Amino acid sequence: MISKHILLTYLYLLVYITLSSGVILYNKWVLSPKYFNFPLPITLTMIHMGFSGFVAFVLIRVLKVVSPVKMTFEIYATCVVPISAFFAASLWFGNTAYLFISVAFIQMLKALMPVATFLMAVLCGTDKLRCDLFLNMLLVSFGVVISSYGEIHFNVVGTVYQVTGIFAEALRLVLTQVLLQKKGLTLNPITSLYYIAPCSFVFLFVPWYLLEMPGIEVSQIRFNFWIFFSNALCALALNFSIFLVIGRTSAVTIRVAGVLKDWILIALSTVIFPESAITKLNIIGYAVALCGVVMYNYLKANDVRSSQSPGDGERTAKDLRSSNMYGLDDNSTNNGMGLKNARSGSHLEVVIDEDVPFIPASKGLLSRSKPS
């Protein structure tokens, strides 16, 4: 008989895959001029940030589900503000790409996420440039180039937006690692939303005011309260589903689930959005890129294991259960990530899921905070 724990774990994985795929497809449907026709990605992102910040405020200040962390002005200015700025930029560029290129091609371009994160980590001094890792990055990049070459509806503007968003997100991940580790700050999903969402909203207001606000004509905007409410609610639910998955499964399971979800999403997108047809070159290139990502994850996992002393065996296994490598996952209106200490004082491995705003999967996240 299958135990209740295993069944519950598979249920969480199913919910994660369903929500992750659903949020991306939902956002594409809302933004696309061919469907719901709300081609205002910054406006949609601001709706998500405002909703997330409001929910976090209610949970912390009204219902007191968790306690706010000790946040000084110095920490907010030096940590939260720069992280929120690059987070807002990644959302802005990533969501705008949905106006120009297909969901399937966007998922293939996201194979560049580990490449971008690795390069940013090397530039910021948090990782070392090694030959084996560099060769893996070349393999991933080569696969993405093949996919791009095979794209039927290739659009330079959309591709530039998506790649720029990927690098902005990569820099945010590295800054989160450097700044939060330096300050010793631990944020769970709710406190992350509480502090980062309002700040990101402010940063998004600037490009919104300059780029979208002048061209907005109220008479031409389709605004359906239930559409936007359910869209934001799905993104918020995805945030917490990833939190549950991280706490119950291994890094390998999360990675396999992510790859499975990507293939399902690519297949679904071609059915739901007929214009996002894929070619054999798309598939071959994406498969090559995934091989590079898998090899990279394997090498990083070995690094974590080798950094442990013999007496840390049990701790290593536990840490690997809840940690992950620089990975490839989704990017939609909400982007997410998590940090997990593989060992005290050692390199922080990154759990990435770009469907959700931000999930710092540190040890503090896995234990429930007591309300004040």
PDB file of all heavy atoms in Angstrom, residues 217-243:
ATOM      1  N   GLU A 217      -6.471  54.197 -23.047  1.00  0.00           N
ATOM      2  CA  GLU A 217      -7.784  54.810 -23.256  1.00  0.00           C
ATOM      3  C   GLU A 217      -8.815  53.921 -22.570  1.00  0.00           C
ATOM      4  O   GLU A 217      -8.996  52.771 -22.940  1.00  0.00           O
ATOM      5  CB  GLU A 217      -8.092  54.931 -24.746  1.00  0.00           C
ATOM      6  CG  GLU A 217      -7.151  55.875 -25.485  1.00  0.00           C
ATOM      7  CD  GLU A 217      -7.536  56.039 -26.941  1.00  0.00           C
ATOM      8  OE1 GLU A 217      -8.692  55.715 -27.275  1.00  0.00           O
ATOM      9  OE2 GLU A 217      -6.692  56.503 -27.727  1.00  0.00           O
ATOM     10  N   VAL A 218      -9.458  54.486 -21.574  1.00  0.00           N
ATOM     11  CA  VAL A 218     -10.381  53.717 -20.734  1.00  0.00           C
ATOM     12  C   VAL A 218     -11.450  53.020 -21.565  1.00  0.00           C
ATOM     13  O   VAL A 218     -11.835  51.875 -21.295  1.00  0.00           O
ATOM     14  CB  VAL A 218     -11.047  54.630 -19.675  1.00  0.00           C
ATOM     15  CG1 VAL A 218     -12.034  53.829 -18.830  1.00  0.00           C
ATOM     16  CG2 VAL A 218      -9.989  55.273 -18.794  1.00  0.00           C
ATOM     17  N   SER A 219     -11.898  53.660 -22.604  1.00  0.00           N
ATOM     18  CA  SER A 219     -12.970  53.083 -23.412  1.00  0.00           C
ATOM     19  C   SER A 219     -12.528  51.830 -24.161  1.00  0.00           C
ATOM     20  O   SER A 219     -13.359  51.011 -24.563  1.00  0.00           O
ATOM     21  CB  SER A 219     -13.477  54.117 -24.419  1.00  0.00           C
ATOM     22  OG  SER A 219     -12.417  54.529 -25.279  1.00  0.00           O
ATOM     23  N   GLN A 220     -11.202  51.666 -24.357  1.00  0.00           N
ATOM     24  CA  GLN A 220     -10.689  50.529 -25.112  1.00  0.00           C
ATOM     25  C   GLN A 220     -10.182  49.397 -24.217  1.00  0.00           C
ATOM     26  O   GLN A 220      -9.799  48.351 -24.712  1.00  0.00           O
ATOM     27  CB  GLN A 220      -9.555  50.988 -26.034  1.00  0.00           C
ATOM     28  CG  GLN A 220     -10.006  51.983 -27.097  1.00  0.00           C
ATOM     29  CD  GLN A 220      -8.854  52.441 -27.974  1.00  0.00           C
ATOM     30  OE1 GLN A 220      -7.700  52.107 -27.722  1.00  0.00           O
ATOM     31  NE2 GLN A 220      -9.162  53.203 -29.009  1.00  0.00           N
ATOM     32  N   ILE A 221     -10.188  49.601 -22.912  1.00  0.00           N
ATOM     33  CA  ILE A 221      -9.646  48.603 -21.991  1.00  0.00           C
ATOM     34  C   ILE A 221     -10.748  47.642 -21.557  1.00  0.00           C
ATOM     35  O   ILE A 221     -11.830  48.062 -21.128  1.00  0.00           O
ATOM     36  CB  ILE A 221      -9.025  49.274 -20.742  1.00  0.00           C
ATOM     37  CG1 ILE A 221      -7.792  50.082 -21.148  1.00  0.00           C
ATOM     38  CG2 ILE A 221      -8.637  48.235 -19.711  1.00  0.00           C
ATOM     39  CD1 ILE A 221      -7.139  50.795 -19.996  1.00  0.00           C
ATOM     40  N   ARG A 222     -10.451  46.375 -21.674  1.00  0.00           N
ATOM     41  CA  ARG A 222     -11.364  45.354 -21.169  1.00  0.00           C
ATOM     42  C   ARG A 222     -10.934  45.021 -19.747  1.00  0.00           C
ATOM     43  O   ARG A 222      -9.874  44.463 -19.524  1.00  0.00           O
ATOM     44  CB  ARG A 222     -11.297  44.100 -22.034  1.00  0.00           C
ATOM     45  CG  ARG A 222     -11.832  44.285 -23.435  1.00  0.00           C
ATOM     46  CD  ARG A 222     -11.850  42.955 -24.152  1.00  0.00           C
ATOM     47  NE  ARG A 222     -12.739  42.010 -23.459  1.00  0.00           N
ATOM     48  CZ  ARG A 222     -12.792  40.713 -23.744  1.00  0.00           C
ATOM     49  NH1 ARG A 222     -12.007  40.203 -24.671  1.00  0.00           N
ATOM     50  NH2 ARG A 222     -13.627  39.913 -23.088  1.00  0.00           N
ATOM     51  N   PHE A 223     -11.751  45.382 -18.786  1.00  0.00           N
ATOM     52  CA  PHE A 223     -11.419  45.085 -17.394  1.00  0.00           C
ATOM     53  C   PHE A 223     -12.535  44.246 -16.789  1.00  0.00           C
ATOM     54  O   PHE A 223     -13.668  44.690 -16.668  1.00  0.00           O
ATOM     55  CB  PHE A 223     -11.219  46.355 -16.579  1.00  0.00           C
ATOM     56  CG  PHE A 223     -10.676  46.096 -15.205  1.00  0.00           C
ATOM     57  CD1 PHE A 223      -9.314  46.036 -14.992  1.00  0.00           C
ATOM     58  CD2 PHE A 223     -11.531  45.879 -14.129  1.00  0.00           C
ATOM     59  CE1 PHE A 223      -8.800  45.783 -13.725  1.00  0.00           C
ATOM     60  CE2 PHE A 223     -11.031  45.615 -12.866  1.00  0.00           C
ATOM     61  CZ  PHE A 223      -9.660  45.578 -12.667  1.00  0.00           C
ATOM     62  N   ASN A 224     -12.194  43.022 -16.447  1.00  0.00           N
ATOM     63  CA  ASN A 224     -13.134  42.111 -15.807  1.00  0.00           C
ATOM     64  C   ASN A 224     -12.578  41.762 -14.435  1.00  0.00           C
ATOM     65  O   ASN A 224     -11.519  41.131 -14.320  1.00  0.00           O
ATOM     66  CB  ASN A 224     -13.296  40.853 -16.664  1.00  0.00           C
ATOM     67  CG  ASN A 224     -14.349  39.908 -16.105  1.00  0.00           C
ATOM     68  OD1 ASN A 224     -14.307  39.512 -14.947  1.00  0.00           O
ATOM     69  ND2 ASN A 224     -15.305  39.521 -16.951  1.00  0.00           N
ATOM     70  N   PHE A 225     -13.288  42.193 -13.390  1.00  0.00           N
ATOM     71  CA  PHE A 225     -12.780  42.008 -12.028  1.00  0.00           C
ATOM     72  C   PHE A 225     -12.456  40.552 -11.737  1.00  0.00           C
ATOM     73  O   PHE A 225     -11.401  40.238 -11.179  1.00  0.00           O
ATOM     74  CB  PHE A 225     -13.816  42.522 -11.015  1.00  0.00           C
ATOM     75  CG  PHE A 225     -13.454  42.183  -9.586  1.00  0.00           C
ATOM     76  CD1 PHE A 225     -12.521  42.936  -8.887  1.00  0.00           C
ATOM     77  CD2 PHE A 225     -14.039  41.082  -8.939  1.00  0.00           C
ATOM     78  CE1 PHE A 225     -12.196  42.613  -7.581  1.00  0.00           C
ATOM     79  CE2 PHE A 225     -13.710  40.758  -7.644  1.00  0.00           C
ATOM     80  CZ  PHE A 225     -12.782  41.528  -6.950  1.00  0.00           C
ATOM     81  N   TRP A 226     -13.323  39.635 -12.113  1.00  0.00           N
ATOM     82  CA  TRP A 226     -13.132  38.226 -11.774  1.00  0.00           C
ATOM     83  C   TRP A 226     -11.971  37.614 -12.541  1.00  0.00           C
ATOM     84  O   TRP A 226     -11.285  36.715 -12.035  1.00  0.00           O
ATOM     85  CB  TRP A 226     -14.421  37.448 -12.033  1.00  0.00           C
ATOM     86  CG  TRP A 226     -15.517  37.850 -11.094  1.00  0.00           C
ATOM     87  CD1 TRP A 226     -16.639  38.553 -11.396  1.00  0.00           C
ATOM     88  CD2 TRP A 226     -15.551  37.629  -9.679  1.00  0.00           C
ATOM     89  NE1 TRP A 226     -17.392  38.777 -10.262  1.00  0.00           N
ATOM     90  CE2 TRP A 226     -16.752  38.221  -9.196  1.00  0.00           C
ATOM     91  CE3 TRP A 226     -14.695  36.997  -8.770  1.00  0.00           C
ATOM     92  CZ2 TRP A 226     -17.099  38.194  -7.849  1.00  0.00           C
ATOM     93  CZ3 TRP A 226     -15.043  36.968  -7.424  1.00  0.00           C
ATOM     94  CH2 TRP A 226     -16.234  37.556  -6.979  1.00  0.00           C
ATOM     95  N   ILE A 227     -11.733  38.083 -13.750  1.00  0.00           N
ATOM     96  CA  ILE A 227     -10.583  37.597 -14.518  1.00  0.00           C
ATOM     97  C   ILE A 227      -9.286  37.972 -13.809  1.00  0.00           C
ATOM     98  O   ILE A 227      -8.408  37.128 -13.574  1.00  0.00           O
ATOM     99  CB  ILE A 227     -10.580  38.180 -15.951  1.00  0.00           C
ATOM    100  CG1 ILE A 227     -11.743  37.597 -16.762  1.00  0.00           C
ATOM    101  CG2 ILE A 227      -9.241  37.923 -16.647  1.00  0.00           C
ATOM    102  CD1 ILE A 227     -11.588  36.138 -17.101  1.00  0.00           C
ATOM    103  N   PHE A 228      -9.147  39.230 -13.435  1.00  0.00           N
ATOM    104  CA  PHE A 228      -7.902  39.686 -12.815  1.00  0.00           C
ATOM    105  C   PHE A 228      -7.761  39.166 -11.387  1.00  0.00           C
ATOM    106  O   PHE A 228      -6.649  38.870 -10.935  1.00  0.00           O
ATOM    107  CB  PHE A 228      -7.824  41.210 -12.849  1.00  0.00           C
ATOM    108  CG  PHE A 228      -7.629  41.761 -14.225  1.00  0.00           C
ATOM    109  CD1 PHE A 228      -8.687  42.319 -14.923  1.00  0.00           C
ATOM    110  CD2 PHE A 228      -6.388  41.703 -14.844  1.00  0.00           C
ATOM    111  CE1 PHE A 228      -8.512  42.815 -16.200  1.00  0.00           C
ATOM    112  CE2 PHE A 228      -6.206  42.191 -16.121  1.00  0.00           C
ATOM    113  CZ  PHE A 228      -7.262  42.753 -16.800  1.00  0.00           C
ATOM    114  N   PHE A 229      -8.875  39.059 -10.684  1.00  0.00           N
ATOM    115  CA  PHE A 229      -8.816  38.524  -9.314  1.00  0.00           C
ATOM    116  C   PHE A 229      -8.391  37.060  -9.330  1.00  0.00           C
ATOM    117  O   PHE A 229      -7.502  36.651  -8.565  1.00  0.00           O
ATOM    118  CB  PHE A 229     -10.180  38.672  -8.641  1.00  0.00           C
ATOM    119  CG  PHE A 229     -10.245  38.045  -7.278  1.00  0.00           C
ATOM    120  CD1 PHE A 229      -9.629  38.647  -6.186  1.00  0.00           C
ATOM    121  CD2 PHE A 229     -10.902  36.833  -7.083  1.00  0.00           C
ATOM    122  CE1 PHE A 229      -9.679  38.065  -4.928  1.00  0.00           C
ATOM    123  CE2 PHE A 229     -10.957  36.238  -5.834  1.00  0.00           C
ATOM    124  CZ  PHE A 229     -10.339  36.856  -4.748  1.00  0.00           C
ATOM    125  N   SER A 230      -8.993  36.268 -10.198  1.00  0.00           N
ATOM    126  CA  SER A 230      -8.637  34.847 -10.262  1.00  0.00           C
ATOM    127  C   SER A 230      -7.217  34.653 -10.765  1.00  0.00           C
ATOM    128  O   SER A 230      -6.505  33.752 -10.320  1.00  0.00           O
ATOM    129  CB  SER A 230      -9.628  34.099 -11.165  1.00  0.00           C
ATOM    130  OG  SER A 230      -9.608  34.620 -12.483  1.00  0.00           O
ATOM    131  N   ASN A 231      -6.780  35.519 -11.678  1.00  0.00           N
ATOM    132  CA  ASN A 231      -5.412  35.451 -12.189  1.00  0.00           C
ATOM    133  C   ASN A 231      -4.397  35.707 -11.079  1.00  0.00           C
ATOM    134  O   ASN A 231      -3.417  34.963 -10.918  1.00  0.00           O
ATOM    135  CB  ASN A 231      -5.249  36.466 -13.325  1.00  0.00           C
ATOM    136  CG  ASN A 231      -3.882  36.404 -13.970  1.00  0.00           C
ATOM    137  OD1 ASN A 231      -3.027  37.234 -13.673  1.00  0.00           O
ATOM    138  ND2 ASN A 231      -3.672  35.444 -14.846  1.00  0.00           N
ATOM    139  N   ALA A 232      -4.627  36.756 -10.295  1.00  0.00           N
ATOM    140  CA  ALA A 232      -3.723  37.074  -9.187  1.00  0.00           C
ATOM    141  C   ALA A 232      -3.789  36.005  -8.100  1.00  0.00           C
ATOM    142  O   ALA A 232      -2.780  35.670  -7.476  1.00  0.00           O
ATOM    143  CB  ALA A 232      -4.082  38.445  -8.609  1.00  0.00           C
ATOM    144  N   LEU A 233      -4.985  35.464  -7.875  1.00  0.00           N
ATOM    145  CA  LEU A 233      -5.153  34.426  -6.853  1.00  0.00           C
ATOM    146  C   LEU A 233      -4.404  33.153  -7.237  1.00  0.00           C
ATOM    147  O   LEU A 233      -3.786  32.498  -6.383  1.00  0.00           O
ATOM    148  CB  LEU A 233      -6.639  34.126  -6.664  1.00  0.00           C
ATOM    149  CG  LEU A 233      -7.026  33.287  -5.443  1.00  0.00           C
ATOM    150  CD1 LEU A 233      -6.630  34.004  -4.153  1.00  0.00           C
ATOM    151  CD2 LEU A 233      -8.524  32.999  -5.447  1.00  0.00           C
ATOM    152  N   CYS A 234      -4.435  32.793  -8.513  1.00  0.00           N
ATOM    153  CA  CYS A 234      -3.707  31.604  -8.981  1.00  0.00           C
ATOM    154  C   CYS A 234      -2.204  31.778  -8.774  1.00  0.00           C
ATOM    155  O   CYS A 234      -1.504  30.843  -8.364  1.00  0.00           O
ATOM    156  CB  CYS A 234      -4.000  31.367 -10.460  1.00  0.00           C
ATOM    157  SG  CYS A 234      -5.645  30.712 -10.792  1.00  0.00           S
ATOM    158  N   ALA A 235      -1.707  32.976  -9.077  1.00  0.00           N
ATOM    159  CA  ALA A 235      -0.276  33.235  -8.889  1.00  0.00           C
ATOM    160  C   ALA A 235       0.111  33.135  -7.417  1.00  0.00           C
ATOM    161  O   ALA A 235       1.158  32.593  -7.063  1.00  0.00           O
ATOM    162  CB  ALA A 235       0.079  34.620  -9.432  1.00  0.00           C
ATOM    163  N   LEU A 236      -0.752  33.652  -6.538  1.00  0.00           N
ATOM    164  CA  LEU A 236      -0.483  33.582  -5.105  1.00  0.00           C
ATOM    165  C   LEU A 236      -0.530  32.136  -4.619  1.00  0.00           C
ATOM    166  O   LEU A 236       0.311  31.706  -3.819  1.00  0.00           O
ATOM    167  CB  LEU A 236      -1.513  34.425  -4.355  1.00  0.00           C
ATOM    168  CG  LEU A 236      -1.220  34.699  -2.874  1.00  0.00           C
ATOM    169  CD1 LEU A 236       0.030  35.539  -2.721  1.00  0.00           C
ATOM    170  CD2 LEU A 236      -2.406  35.410  -2.232  1.00  0.00           C
ATOM    171  N   ALA A 237      -1.497  31.363  -5.118  1.00  0.00           N
ATOM    172  CA  ALA A 237      -1.594  29.952  -4.743  1.00  0.00           C
ATOM    173  C   ALA A 237      -0.365  29.175  -5.196  1.00  0.00           C
ATOM    174  O   ALA A 237       0.135  28.293  -4.486  1.00  0.00           O
ATOM    175  CB  ALA A 237      -2.859  29.345  -5.359  1.00  0.00           C
ATOM    176  N   LEU A 238       0.152  29.521  -6.369  1.00  0.00           N
ATOM    177  CA  LEU A 238       1.364  28.871  -6.868  1.00  0.00           C
ATOM    178  C   LEU A 238       2.542  29.149  -5.947  1.00  0.00           C
ATOM    179  O   LEU A 238       3.377  28.266  -5.698  1.00  0.00           O
ATOM    180  CB  LEU A 238       1.665  29.360  -8.286  1.00  0.00           C
ATOM    181  CG  LEU A 238       2.954  28.852  -8.928  1.00  0.00           C
ATOM    182  CD1 LEU A 238       2.949  27.328  -9.013  1.00  0.00           C
ATOM    183  CD2 LEU A 238       3.135  29.460 -10.306  1.00  0.00           C
ATOM    184  N   ASN A 239       2.609  30.361  -5.433  1.00  0.00           N
ATOM    185  CA  ASN A 239       3.646  30.734  -4.484  1.00  0.00           C
ATOM    186  C   ASN A 239       3.714  29.741  -3.326  1.00  0.00           C
ATOM    187  O   ASN A 239       4.770  29.210  -2.986  1.00  0.00           O
ATOM    188  CB  ASN A 239       3.351  32.144  -3.952  1.00  0.00           C
ATOM    189  CG  ASN A 239       4.597  32.881  -3.531  1.00  0.00           C
ATOM    190  OD1 ASN A 239       5.562  32.287  -3.073  1.00  0.00           O
ATOM    191  ND2 ASN A 239       4.566  34.185  -3.697  1.00  0.00           N
ATOM    192  N   PHE A 240       2.564  29.468  -2.746  1.00  0.00           N
ATOM    193  CA  PHE A 240       2.525  28.598  -1.583  1.00  0.00           C
ATOM    194  C   PHE A 240       2.637  27.118  -1.953  1.00  0.00           C
ATOM    195  O   PHE A 240       3.122  26.319  -1.151  1.00  0.00           O
ATOM    196  CB  PHE A 240       1.244  28.853  -0.789  1.00  0.00           C
ATOM    197  CG  PHE A 240       1.219  30.195  -0.123  1.00  0.00           C
ATOM    198  CD1 PHE A 240       0.463  31.233  -0.659  1.00  0.00           C
ATOM    199  CD2 PHE A 240       1.968  30.447   1.004  1.00  0.00           C
ATOM    200  CE1 PHE A 240       0.458  32.481  -0.070  1.00  0.00           C
ATOM    201  CE2 PHE A 240       1.970  31.700   1.607  1.00  0.00           C
ATOM    202  CZ  PHE A 240       1.210  32.713   1.074  1.00  0.00           C
ATOM    203  N   SER A 241       2.220  26.746  -3.163  1.00  0.00           N
ATOM    204  CA  SER A 241       2.360  25.347  -3.568  1.00  0.00           C
ATOM    205  C   SER A 241       3.832  24.971  -3.708  1.00  0.00           C
ATOM    206  O   SER A 241       4.236  23.863  -3.352  1.00  0.00           O
ATOM    207  CB  SER A 241       1.622  25.100  -4.897  1.00  0.00           C
ATOM    208  OG  SER A 241       2.318  25.646  -5.993  1.00  0.00           O
ATOM    209  N   ILE A 242       4.645  25.894  -4.209  1.00  0.00           N
ATOM    210  CA  ILE A 242       6.078  25.627  -4.321  1.00  0.00           C
ATOM    211  C   ILE A 242       6.700  25.519  -2.935  1.00  0.00           C
ATOM    212  O   ILE A 242       7.572  24.691  -2.689  1.00  0.00           O
ATOM    213  CB  ILE A 242       6.767  26.719  -5.144  1.00  0.00           C
ATOM    214  CG1 ILE A 242       6.256  26.689  -6.570  1.00  0.00           C
ATOM    215  CG2 ILE A 242       8.275  26.551  -5.116  1.00  0.00           C
ATOM    216  CD1 ILE A 242       6.852  27.748  -7.455  1.00  0.00           C
ATOM    217  N   PHE A 243       6.238  26.341  -2.008  1.00  0.00           N
ATOM    218  CA  PHE A 243       6.709  26.258  -0.627  1.00  0.00           C
ATOM    219  C   PHE A 243       6.446  24.870  -0.051  1.00  0.00           C
ATOM    220  O   PHE A 243       7.300  24.257   0.593  1.00  0.00           O
ATOM    221  CB  PHE A 243       5.985  27.335   0.196  1.00  0.00           C
ATOM    222  CG  PHE A 243       6.068  27.136   1.686  1.00  0.00           C
ATOM    223  CD1 PHE A 243       7.283  27.116   2.337  1.00  0.00           C
ATOM    224  CD2 PHE A 243       4.910  26.983   2.429  1.00  0.00           C
ATOM    225  CE1 PHE A 243       7.352  26.944   3.714  1.00  0.00           C
ATOM    226  CE2 PHE A 243       4.961  26.816   3.798  1.00  0.00           C
ATOM    227  CZ  PHE A 243       6.195  26.802   4.444  1.00  0.00           C
TER     228      PHE A 243
END
